[in-house]
């Protein structure tokens, strides 16, 4: 199963990706997570990406494309993968298609998580993440058992640097102008799977499974 998951900031891509990769046993490749890991480790890539991310803009295509294309050529991706946060521009989508074609394969579906814009800011500003295991919570929608503490490893939860309200608003507008056109791009290829992401987390996942034709109830 070769999948991409699309949707605006705070739509629930990472949340659904965690369930999808468990269900379909494919690697989760999140470009946002790759950049945050590089920032944490102080790499050159991290230093370059940080300024764009802190402003709510996109990291330039030439820094992103090579990383993703190298990653999907690795052995653990030979039976599938889930790309989360990539592609984000038409150029990235075209580069991905060309790379897959060279590998004699193609995408199976593009899952598009649709969420009312007025929910997005609350979702992003209320998000808390575990710096150790990466688990994502929300202070009211999906809280940990003990406030501020990860259920899995007891680490203190943190807020992402780009989850300040004004940065989130910028990210949403960048999404509208640069990433939303990919919905038509994948529709044109017959790959689009629209899912209502304004529902409860578990219901969104049920709809994704159903859409992918693998619902347990079938
Ligand atoms: P990235 O990390 O990809 O961020 P994003 O696309 O802005 O998306 P988010 O991670 O904020 O949201 P999400 O959809 O994953 O939502 P989540 O599941 O966490 O990218 C960050 C930055 O890196 C970019 O701005 C850019 O600078 C750079 N970058 C990355 N990829 C790039 C690329 N390809 N090209 C160029 N630059 C790139 O959920 C959000 C919150 O809502 C959580 O608290 C969660 O618990 C809650 N929630 C989730 N689902 C529900 C639900 N159904 N109901 C209620 N609450 C919910
Ligand atoms: Mg995410």
């Amino acid at each position: 199963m070769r999948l991409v998951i699309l949707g605006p900031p705070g739509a629930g891509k990472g949340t659904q990706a965690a369930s999808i990769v468990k269900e379909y046993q494919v690697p989760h490749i999140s470009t946002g997570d790759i950049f945050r890991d590089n920032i944490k480790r102080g790499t050159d890539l991290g230093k370059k990406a940080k300024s764009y991310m802190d402003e709510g803009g996109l990291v330039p295509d030439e820094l992103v494309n090579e990383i993703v294309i190298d990653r999907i050529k690795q052995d653990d991706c030979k039976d599938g993968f889930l790309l989360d946060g990539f592609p984000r521009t038409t150029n990235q989508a075209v580069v991905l298609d060309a790379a897959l074609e060279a590998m004699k394969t193609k995408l199976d579906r593009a899952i598009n998580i649709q969420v009312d814009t007025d929910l997005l800011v609350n979702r992003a500003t209320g998000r808390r993440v575990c710096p150790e295991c990466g688990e994502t919570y929300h202070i009211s929608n999906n809280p940990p058992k003990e406030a501020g503490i990860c259920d899995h490893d007891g680490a203190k939860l943190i807020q992402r640097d780009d989850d300040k309200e004004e940065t989130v608003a910028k990210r949403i507008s960048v999404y509208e102008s640069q990433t939303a056109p990919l919905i038509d791009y994948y529709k044109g290829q017959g790959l689009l799977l629209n899912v209502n992401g304004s529902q409860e987390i578990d219901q969104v996942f049920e709809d994704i499974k159903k859409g992918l034709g693998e619902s347990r109830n079938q």
Side-chain angles (χ1 to χ4, degrees), residues 13-14 36 84 127 160:
K13 300 183 295 295
R36 282 184 288 276
D84 161 6
R127 170 171 39 203
R160 261 169 50 177

Side-chain angles (χ1 to χ4, degrees), residues 58-159:
L58 293 184
V59 177
D61 290 343
E62 56 273 23
L63 288 180
V64 187
N65 288 341
E66 201 181 313
I67 293 166
V68 176
I69 303 310
D70 284 350
R71 180 68 188 83
I72 62 172
K73 286 181 182 160
Q74 287 174 22
D75 239 25
D76 62 334
C77 291
K78 73 180 181 331
D79 295 328
F81 51 76
L82 172 64
L83 290 172
D84 161 6
F86 183 95
R88 235 176 171 104
T89 63
T90 304
N91 168 275
Q92 292 179 14
V94 170
V95 168
L96 174 64
D97 279 349
L100 289 171
E101 199 181 328
M103 292 160 71
K104 302 202 185 322
T105 185
K106 60 184 182 51
L107 285 177
D108 293 302
R109 294 307 278 271
I111 303 163
N112 178 35
I113 309 214
Q114 300 173 300
V115 176
D116 301 337
T117 308
D118 51 344
L119 291 178
L120 296 175
V121 175
N122 170 279
R123 284 197 186 177
T125 55
R127 170 171 39 203
R128 298 293 182 272
V129 290
C130 175
E132 299 300 327
C133 70
E135 181 72 35
T136 298
Y137 300 89
H138 187 279
I139 49 172
S140 49
N141 301 343
N142 183 24
K145 292 191 182 93
E146 188 184 341
I149 304 290
C150 180
D151 292 349
H152 305 301
D153 49 31
K156 199 165 176 278
L157 302 180
I158 56 166
Q159 191 168 17

